[in-house]
Amino acid sequence: MDIDRLQSFRRITFILYIFFLCVNVSSSSNRNEVVLTDNRYQNLIIAINKKVPVDTTIIDRIKDLFTDGSRRLFEATNRRAYWETITILVPKTWPANANYILPKTESFSVANIVIDLPNERYDDNPYTQQPGLCGHKGEYIHLTPNFILNKIDSEKMWGPVDKLLVHEWGHLQWGLFDEYPTKDTPNFYKHSNNKIEATRCSLTVKGQYKKNGTDDECYLDPETGVYESGCVFSPDTNNQTATASYMYGQFIDSVTSFCHSDPSDPLGYHDVELPHKHNTMCGSRSAWDIILRTQDFKGGVNQPVAGYVDTTPTFTLMQPTDRRVVLVLDTSGSMTGDRIQQLRQSATHYLLYTIDSGSYVGIVHFSTYAQVLSELVEITDDNSREALVAVLPTVATGGTSIGSGVLKGIKVLSRGIQTAKGGSLLLLTDGMNNALPDINDVLDDVENAGVVVDTIAFSSSADPNLENLSDVSGGIAFYFNDIEDISVLNSAFETTVTSRPDQSSQPLPIMLHSDAVATVGGSFSSVESVIVDSDLGKDTVFSFSWINSYSIQVTLTSPDGNLVDQSLQKVDLSLKTINIKIPNIAQDGIWDFSIKSPSTDTVTVNVQSSPQTADNCPITVVPLIGDPSIDYTTEPYTIICVAVTKCYLPVVGADVFVEVESSNSCQTVELLLFDNGAGADVTKDDGIYCGYFLDACGNGRYSVSVKVKSPETNSAFVNMAKATGSLPINPDSTTNKELPVFVPTEMFSRSASGGVIQVTGYVNRPPTTDVISPSKIIDLRVLATSYSEQKVVIQWTAVGDDLDTGNATKYELKMANSFSELLTNFANAREINNNDVIEGDITIIRPAGVVERIGLRVPTRGANQTYFFAIRAQDEASNYGDVSNIVSANMQYIPPIPYMVNSTTVSLTSADKTKVTETVTETVTDVTADAITTAISSTDWTIGLTRSDRSTGPTYFTQTTTSTITTTPTDSTAVNHTVSYTTTLENTTPSLDPTTENPTTQTSLETEEPTSHEFTTGSPTTLASTETPDSTSRESITSKPTTITMSPSATTLTTVPTSNTVTLMSTTDVLTTKNTLAGTSQATNSKHPTSVPVTIPANNSTTTTDLSSNTTTTMNGTTNHTDSTQYPTIPTSPTKSTEPIEATAQPPENEDRTALWASLGAVVGIALISLAVFGIIKFIGKKNKVDIDPESGQEMTSSQSFEDI
């Protein structure tokens, strides 16, 4: 019992720790931190992208928007918070202004709010990139110039723009999630109040249930138990009383706050049952509860302010200048040998190929003291680059004074009239600071100078305080493990440039490949491949570096199979590097290389390429480490994410790997990241791939490297599905219309550095000790319900043994009659086992990331019968994951949805299965013939009817075709013959009785007339030629069909004529046309499975036209299509949407009179027979004087007669 209690306590402690961790972590380590002090947010950075055209009105509108938004924020937080200081970063590409000051550490890449051009997925929709868990700060809010400048249009779409800003701030600063339905959450659900409710917050928000984009009422769907697909809840924008929530409908006039957990205020009360994403991710806690648990308000800080408060922010305008960087390089004694050589290899590549033209670079080295090797030099050409390479240090000796190097680097940045502000230092060291000043002694100097310090810890011996320089300055920290493979070192140098694109006026290089190749002496390595995609190709460089061998040989083959000329190889045997720069634009495709060395060696290979123009939009990779500091005693893991995008559009289906390399002697850990909306990944298909790093093996630094590529056997895709960050007033405005959802990418590959992770407090637990639970399942769903089978189909994504790694041991799937039972007493709820399962097997546990699905039979069904389900995973050590989101299944009877035909397509297809889709006019020109005969003809034809997924059925069509021919002179030598035809479909299908789940009952008969039939008509038409003796043969031509729509209540439809044209040289031709259409088909109805053949009677029409006075002939063909379908019946009382909605429909009564009388006759007959049998038994019993007790089987006394029994 004590062990059980201990395990329970450990699980509860871990779950509580997970939750409080989620509401206390920051955004990725290099994002600007906005801090709330004394109710005032300080240092919010808004950055305008350099691609945004010059328009200073944007600055004025930003000020207006955030001034109004600050007032709204103060109101929404109950007078607890507003924005006080805001920096607007104007792009370098805009004209300079005396009012713009130089930034310190501010840049576009660390901005909290970015102003950038729209993309095809979001258009001008504001949104927040939010890869973290509940309470985890987002990365940035994305706004477009159009959204800011066109306030009237923006407010037509989203309501007051200042309120929308507060909604997005909830995502960014507090890690809240949407409370409206998304593609991952249902629109409707069955509530404990026995109503079908819309997903929203609060429940007091009033609105209408309508078909999307129409005023049609919604029906309950018997296959899901909630409203049918395409139904939406449209909240009233006016006359509301609900005060919450900002995370649902910020455009509602009465909404002024976030949903809360105070039941005394029902107008803003948070309902724990709502299946929106916020409840799923935040354990059904209200938005306001989560806000109060963040660092902004935790511990009761920043209480409401009384009295008048001026919430107007102070704005500061900044504009970056040219990139200015000083390399601060360690040349102490510990850097001798291979280390100084590797430093020079990476620094040389950086100076020759990475740093962009127009930048200024200086070089400082330090040992016991610091010395300037080069003042700032502008990168203008190859000569300026080579001059800097020439002064790189070659000797390492003396002590280590990191502080001296930092101070000397700041002085180089501030020479002459220059100020150090806005410059950066790239500091590399391998040892402890052992000569004054110390690292911590110069931190104030770094902050006061306004410089960014990026640090590279070169080996595990580097000073543990080194990262303090990066932390205080907003720089990036890296770690290189002092091995022969310097790909991590090269990536670190490259990232310091590419992570700050706003400092450049030109496209920056992208790392395609960064890895090592092991060679065996005397033979070529296996062939390695690198993909250059078509968005890139400019300044493409293949770089090879090594340590041991005197020299190596490299062969490089382009995608067209040609060997790259050896003369392009730039070989430096003293530095031990080979660089191959491809002239002009490199071919896109697969480049192959192999390496030969005289001895066993490790060769580092780096390949980079730049966009061909500034307008190209290549795929980019951005690592996002949730918390780079792991305290193993309380937090034995961290989340690593990678954003893979193309112009902000998510790239999905890519292979994303992370390599984590330890400073200890541990093996490198490779993680496969997922974008599946499970485990560490918050949102499926958003282009952000996430996973947990669990495998720390000791204290120290861990380097993070990222490799991304398109799958070898498939393609990755750009997700272009329309999305929005805030609920628009009209939900239909963000749906895909003609835009494809997923567009395949080219083959591609990318590499990037993810910086460094620091581990402290490591405890070497025995292998049998397991304290990490499986992840919480966050995507439990009810896919379908069946009243007739008493079945519910449930789906979720598998989690791992330790969070999202490995396999769990067991699932606990629980069922209850109330939501509260699962929320508060999950452990004691009824558990589902395989006796309940009728599809699948709940005991089979699949690996993390795999979709699980089972069908189970529920005990009962009927009016007001609702079941609730929740699940959690268990590992082999009896560690339990947190309880999943709770879902409901409606098991009341729901009649079939009334039969409706909307935009139904009838396709004419030929015997060879050629699909007819469109009609066009075609012309044939003949220069010799005197006459031509054309005919509209076809092989056997089939009309196939495809209705909605709810109503299909057999259909008869009568079809006729007519044609006309016209001839138009063109000139003296040619004749154009144009053939036009018109097709009409008439639906003549008889009515069918409905087949319901209970075949003994049916509703009264109602037949619905045809509505909105869309027909694809005009079979492929062959225009055959008949020539005069002196003519030459000519090819026949085939016309294409057109698509026509039959309007409601119409039964006969005629297409708009289209034409086929034949051009001849002669003016004495005779044109004859002939049409034949005939065929049969079968069409079936999933609800009404009776199958009836569709017959198209043959229709032959021939038209002959004398062309003696014309030069162009047009043949018009008309086919009549008659819709004679007699449609299935409609239930007399279908369940429609009302407000409020309470669906309590019962199975329909039997209206079939014949069946009713037959049933009554049978009942009467059985009753008469029973009476007769009873009389016989009674007679026999009396006659024999023996009565039998039916329970004991014994004879009874005369006083216990059969009659008494």
Side-chain angles (χ1 to χ4, degrees):
M1 187 65 178
D2 290 339
I3 294 177
D4 292 340
R5 289 178 178 176
L6 179 61
Q7 289 180 335
S8 298
F9 176 77
R10 182 177 64 178
R11 289 194 293 269
I12 293 171
T13 302
F14 183 79
I15 290 171
L16 289 174
Y17 160 71
I18 290 295
F19 172 71
F20 284 106
L21 169 69
C22 290
V23 297
N24 283 286
V25 292
S26 62
S27 57
S28 61
S29 56
N30 65 332
R31 188 63 61 173
N32 177 63
E33 191 77 8
V34 181
V35 179
L36 183 66
T37 304
D38 296 329
N39 304 101
R40 294 168 291 182
Y41 282 114
Q42 307 285 342
N43 194 33
L44 174 66
I45 299 178
I46 304 171
I48 304 172
N49 190 278
K50 62 184 180 181
K51 290 186 177 181
V52 174
V54 178
D55 187 349
T56 55
T57 308
I58 294 176
I59 297 174
D60 296 331
R61 295 293 178 266
I62 290 173
K63 292 180 179 179
D64 293 341
L65 172 60
F66 281 82
T67 298
D68 294 340
S70 184
R71 175 178 55 83
R72 293 283 194 181
L73 180 63
F74 191 60
E75 175 188 53
T77 57
N78 296 328
R79 302 176 62 86
R80 291 172 178 261
Y82 63 94
W83 296 306
E84 184 183 49
T85 60
I86 296 178
T87 296
I88 301 176
L89 196 62
V90 180
K92 175 185 174 182
T93 52
W94 285 22
N97 187 299
N99 294 322
Y100 302 161
I101 66 174
L102 283 174
K104 292 184 177 181
T105 61
E106 298 85 357
S107 68
F108 185 87
S109 59
V110 303
N112 310 106
I113 298 171
V114 300
I115 314 298
D116 207 344
L117 300 177
N119 58 67
E120 292 176 283
R121 176 171 166 84
Y122 284 96
D123 293 323
D124 291 316
N125 287 268
Y127 67 93
T128 302
Q129 188 183 69
Q130 186 181 7
L133 303 176
C134 179
H136 190 149
K137 292 183 179 180
E139 288 295 303
Y140 58 81
I141 296 173
H142 184 286
L143 305 176
T144 69
N146 290 336
F147 171 81
I148 293 172
L149 293 172
N150 302 322
K151 182 178 179 180
I152 295 177
D153 291 342
S154 296
E155 294 196 337
K156 287 180 181 177
M157 177 73 75
W158 298 283
V161 290
D162 51 356
K163 294 180 71 175
L164 181 146
L165 201 58
V166 176
H167 171 97
E168 296 302 331
W169 188 255
H171 291 303
L172 180 74
Q173 184 68 10
W174 302 316
L176 307 180
F177 291 90
D178 291 318
E179 293 172 340
Y180 58 81
T182 64
K183 68 181 182 66
D184 300 321
T185 56
N187 286 312
F188 308 102
Y189 68 107
K190 182 69 177 295
H191 194 279
S192 293
N193 62 14
N194 284 320
K195 295 180 181 179
I196 305 298
E197 296 281 8
T199 300
R200 62 197 193 277
C201 195
S202 67
L203 285 181
T204 56
V205 174
K206 296 175 292 186
Q208 307 298 318
Y209 293 76
K210 300 290 184 182
K211 294 282 188 65
N212 202 2
T214 72
D215 289 329
D216 296 341
E217 293 184 283
C218 299
Y219 291 92
L220 290 180
D221 186 345
E223 294 183 5
T224 63
V226 295
Y227 287 111
E228 60 188 310
S229 175
C231 182
V232 297
F233 176 79
S234 180
D236 299 334
T237 55
N238 300 311
N239 301 318
Q240 292 271 15
T241 58
T243 58
S245 169
Y246 263 104
M247 300 313 293
Y248 171 67
Q250 75 290 332
F251 54 81
I252 299 173
D253 286 348
S254 60
V255 167
T256 57
S257 63
F258 297 90
C259 268
H260 55 73
S261 56
D262 181 4
S264 66
D265 178 16
L267 298 180
Y269 184 66
H270 172 80
D271 193 315
V272 296
E273 294 189 32
L274 292 160
H276 51 56
K277 191 163 188 172
H278 180 83
N279 266 348
T280 296
M281 299 302 301
C282 298
S284 292
R285 294 173 175 86
S286 73
W288 185 243
D289 286 343
I290 298 300
I291 291 172
L292 294 181
R293 284 171 167 81
T294 64
Q295 291 294 340
D296 290 349
F297 306 105
K298 186 178 179 181
V301 299
N302 296 305
Q303 288 293 314
V305 181
Y308 172 76
V309 176
D310 183 1
T311 61
T312 304
T314 299
F315 296 92
T316 302
L317 302 181
M318 295 184 178
Q319 186 177 39
T321 60
D322 297 323
R323 189 189 309 273
R324 293 175 299 132
V325 58
V326 176
L327 303 183
V328 182
L329 307 175
D330 187 350
T331 55
S332 62
S334 59
M335 284 292 295
T336 192
D338 291 347
R339 291 184 179 181
I340 195 70
Q341 178 81 337
Q342 290 174 319
L343 181 155
R344 294 182 68 244
Q345 288 174 339
S346 289
T348 297
H349 186 275
Y350 170 87
L351 294 169
L352 292 179
Y353 305 114
T354 302
I355 190 75
D356 49 315
S357 296
S359 300
Y360 291 82
V361 179
I363 301 176
V364 168
H365 79 105
F366 65 90
S367 53
T368 306
Y369 58 90
Q371 182 179 3
V372 177
L373 297 178
S374 174
E375 298 289 350
L376 289 176
V377 173
E378 183 180 4
I379 303 294
T380 57
D381 53 20
D382 289 345
N383 291 332
S384 58
R385 295 176 184 273
E386 294 285 358
L388 287 166
V389 170
V391 300
L392 286 172
T394 57
V395 177
T397 184
T400 304
S401 179
I402 298 172
S404 294
V406 170
L407 294 178
K408 189 69 72 173
I410 292 174
K411 285 186 177 181
V412 172
L413 287 172
S414 56
R415 290 280 196 247
I417 62 172
Q418 291 282 348
T419 173
K421 185 189 297 184
S424 63
L425 306 179
L426 177 48
L427 171 63
L428 181 150
T429 182
D430 73 334
M432 297 287 295
N433 194 98
N434 54 28
L436 296 177
D438 193 53
I439 290 176
N440 291 333
D441 295 335
V442 300
L443 294 180
D444 288 342
D445 297 272
V446 170
E447 286 193 89
N448 293 333
V451 299
V452 173
V453 182
D454 298 316
T455 59
I456 301 177
F458 197 117
S459 83
S460 58
S461 301
D463 197 300
N465 293 320
L466 183 64
E467 284 77 15
N468 293 347
L469 291 164
S470 299
D471 293 341
V472 300
S473 66
I476 308 173
F478 303 94
Y479 168 66
F480 171 60
N481 197 26
D482 190 22
I483 57 177
E484 293 183 355
D485 173 14
I486 63 168
S487 58
V488 170
L489 190 59
N490 289 341
S491 294
F493 271 87
E494 185 254 358
T495 300
T496 63
V497 175
T498 58
S499 64
R500 302 181 181 104
D502 52 330
Q503 295 181 348
S504 176
S505 300
Q506 63 191 55
L508 295 173
I510 291 177
M511 189 71 74
L512 306 183
H513 181 88
S514 184
D515 212 340
V517 175
T519 62
V520 178
S523 61
F524 275 98
S525 66
S526 59
V527 175
E528 304 284 338
S529 299
V530 178
I531 299 168
V532 178
D533 45 290
S534 63
D535 282 320
L536 306 175
K538 184 180 180 181
D539 297 331
T540 303
V541 180
F542 291 77
S543 299
F544 304 84
S545 59
W546 67 97
I547 288 294
N548 298 321
S549 303
Y550 171 74
S551 65
I552 64 172
Q553 297 179 41
V554 173
T555 61
L556 180 62
T557 305
S558 61
D560 59 10
N562 293 320
L563 287 175
V564 174
D565 197 316
Q566 294 288 319
S567 64
L568 293 177
Q569 295 191 9
K570 183 178 180 179
V571 181
D572 187 335
L573 293 181
S574 63
L575 191 61
K576 296 187 177 180
T577 62
I578 295 177
N579 294 299
I580 306 173
K581 185 174 182 179
I582 306 301
N584 302 317
I585 302 298
Q587 293 179 32
D588 60 283
I590 299 176
W591 292 71
D592 295 328
F593 64 87
S594 59
I595 304 167
K596 182 179 181 180
S597 63
S599 59
T600 300
D601 210 336
T602 299
V603 179
T604 301
V605 183
N606 281 86
V607 183
Q608 67 181 43
S609 187
S610 298
Q612 298 181 25
T613 68
D615 294 329
N616 283 96
C617 191
I619 292 171
T620 57
V621 170
V622 179
L624 305 169
I625 299 179
D627 190 343
S629 299
I630 297 177
D631 182 350
Y632 204 81
T633 59
T634 57
E635 181 184 337
Y637 63 87
T638 192
I639 295 175
I640 300 177
C641 297
V642 176
V644 186
T645 58
K646 181 178 174 66
C647 278
Y648 292 105
L649 297 174
V651 174
V652 302
D655 291 335
V656 180
F657 297 91
V658 170
E659 291 182 355
V660 183
E661 190 174 305
S662 168
S663 57
N664 303 288
S665 57
C666 305
Q667 187 175 2
T668 298
V669 175
E670 183 177 82
L671 303 177
L672 176 62
L673 306 187
F674 295 95
D675 183 18
N676 60 356
D681 186 62
V682 170
T683 303
K684 182 179 180 180
D685 292 342
D686 65 347
I688 301 177
Y689 300 72
C690 297
Y692 290 98
F693 170 59
L694 304 168
D695 299 315
C697 60
N699 293 327
R701 299 179 176 97
Y702 293 72
S703 67
V704 180
S705 300
V706 175
K707 292 178 172 57
V708 180
K709 62 179 181 178
S710 52
E712 294 182 0
T713 59
N714 202 346
S715 173
F717 296 88
V718 177
N719 184 359
M720 301 177 73
K722 287 295 185 183
T724 182
S726 300
L727 183 68
I729 297 173
N730 174 20
D732 188 49
S733 61
T734 59
T735 57
N736 277 65
K737 295 180 175 62
E738 296 181 357
L739 190 69
V741 175
F742 291 102
V743 177
T745 66
E746 300 176 68
M747 294 187 299
F748 71 93
S749 61
R750 299 288 187 271
S751 292
S753 173
V756 64
I757 294 173
Q758 292 265 18
V759 176
T760 59
Y762 179 76
V763 177
N764 188 11
R765 297 188 179 96
T768 56
T769 302
D770 183 356
V771 298
I772 300 178
S773 302
S775 289
K776 173 184 175 180
I777 294 170
I778 60 175
D779 63 348
L780 185 67
R781 295 177 59 194
V782 171
L783 292 184
T785 61
S786 172
Y787 177 87
S788 62
E789 299 178 61
Q790 291 184 210
K791 183 175 74 173
V792 177
V793 179
I794 294 179
Q795 176 179 292
W796 67 94
T797 301
V799 295
D801 173 272
D802 295 335
L803 297 172
D804 60 0
T805 301
N807 284 51
T809 301
K810 177 187 176 183
Y811 289 124
E812 279 191 336
L813 177 61
K814 299 294 185 75
M815 177 176 66
N817 289 314
S818 71
F819 185 98
S820 60
E821 180 180 355
L822 294 179
L823 184 66
T824 62
N825 194 22
F826 176 86
N828 294 322
R830 181 187 185 281
E831 185 170 354
I832 300 295
N833 56 47
N834 265 350
N835 292 329
D836 305 299
V837 175
I838 54 179
E839 294 177 6
D841 188 334
I842 199 170
T843 64
I844 298 177
I845 313 298
R846 293 174 175 81
V850 177
V851 174
E852 307 267 22
R853 182 181 300 174
I854 64 167
L856 54 95
R857 190 182 304 279
V858 293
T860 59
R861 62 183 178 181
N864 298 330
Q865 182 60 60
T866 305
Y867 289 100
F868 297 88
F869 300 90
I871 191 172
R872 67 178 178 181
Q874 176 186 344
D875 66 14
E876 78 285 354
S878 295
N879 296 312
Y880 292 95
D882 209 352
V883 177
S884 72
N885 58 304
I886 302 173
V887 296
S888 62
N890 181 15
M891 296 308 297
Q892 72 179 89
Y893 175 80
I894 300 172
I897 297 174
Y899 173 72
M900 297 290 290
V901 182
N902 289 316
S903 299
T904 306
T905 301
V906 177
S907 300
L908 297 178
T909 55
S910 63
D912 61 1
K913 306 304 181 185
T914 302
K915 183 76 182 257
V916 178
T917 58
E918 184 183 4
T919 297
V920 296
T921 299
E922 299 189 20
T923 302
V924 172
T925 301
D926 190 296
V927 297
T928 60
D930 294 327
I932 183 170
T933 300
T934 64
I936 298 179
S937 62
S938 70
T939 56
D940 292 337
W941 292 95
T942 301
I943 293 181
L945 174 63
T946 303
R947 300 183 186 169
S948 71
D949 59 349
R950 310 243 175 259
S951 299
T952 60
T955 303
Y956 293 104
F957 283 99
T958 302
Q959 176 177 315
T960 59
T961 301
T962 61
S963 61
T964 59
I965 304 171
T966 60
T967 302
T968 304
T970 56
D971 53 41
S972 59
T973 59
V975 178
N976 289 330
H977 297 272
T978 302
V979 179
S980 300
Y981 58 88
T982 303
T983 301
T984 302
L985 283 178
E986 183 177 359
N987 192 332
T988 57
T989 308
S991 295
L992 297 174
D993 292 336
T995 300
T996 65
E997 293 179 330
N998 185 354
T1000 64
T1001 65
Q1002 65 176 15
T1003 60
S1004 63
L1005 299 177
E1006 291 185 14
T1007 300
E1008 187 152 314
E1009 59 187 10
T1011 59
S1012 299
H1013 302 277
E1014 185 178 293
F1015 301 106
T1016 301
T1017 66
S1019 54
T1021 305
T1022 301
L1023 303 180
S1025 303
T1026 301
E1027 302 86 8
T1028 56
D1030 59 344
S1031 66
T1032 59
S1033 62
R1034 55 188 72 65
E1035 295 180 357
S1036 63
I1037 64 173
T1038 303
S1039 69
K1040 297 179 181 179
T1042 187
T1043 300
I1044 57 178
T1045 302
M1046 179 174 287
S1047 61
S1049 74
T1051 56
T1052 302
L1053 180 64
T1054 302
T1055 62
V1056 177
T1058 55
S1059 301
N1060 287 291
T1061 302
V1062 179
T1063 303
L1064 303 175
M1065 290 295 296
S1066 172
T1067 60
T1068 60
D1069 294 330
V1070 174
L1071 183 65
T1072 302
T1073 66
K1074 183 177 182 180
N1075 174 68
T1076 303
L1077 288 173
T1080 60
S1081 178
Q1082 297 284 340
T1084 58
N1085 185 326
S1086 61
K1087 294 293 184 185
H1088 317 290
T1090 305
S1091 180
V1092 179
V1094 177
T1095 303
I1096 308 170
N1099 177 269
N1100 301 311
S1101 63
T1102 302
T1103 304
T1104 303
T1105 300
D1106 185 358
L1107 308 180
S1108 59
S1109 59
N1110 299 287
T1111 57
T1112 300
T1113 294
T1114 301
M1115 181 173 70
N1116 297 307
T1118 302
T1119 302
N1120 295 318
H1121 302 260
T1122 302
D1123 183 354
S1124 58
T1125 308
Q1126 203 166 13
Y1127 290 90
T1129 59
I1130 306 172
T1132 55
S1133 301
T1135 308
K1136 294 187 176 182
S1137 60
T1138 59
E1139 179 63 22
I1141 293 176
E1142 184 169 5
T1144 57
Q1146 299 300 315
E1149 298 297 329
N1150 191 348
E1151 297 289 343
D1152 190 324
R1153 302 304 178 90
T1154 303
L1156 176 62
W1157 285 114
S1159 300
L1160 290 173
V1163 170
V1164 171
I1166 293 172
L1168 292 174
I1169 293 172
S1170 299
L1171 289 172
V1173 171
F1174 180 78
I1176 293 171
I1177 293 174
K1178 179 179 178 181
F1179 174 78
I1180 295 173
K1182 290 287 187 181
K1183 185 173 183 68
N1184 295 329
K1185 302 294 183 180
V1186 179
D1187 292 336
I1188 305 298
D1189 184 340
E1191 293 185 2
S1192 64
Q1194 303 297 317
E1195 293 185 5
M1196 297 185 295
T1197 63
S1198 58
S1199 62
Q1200 293 178 307
S1201 68
F1202 188 86
E1203 294 173 296
D1204 295 332
I1205 297 299

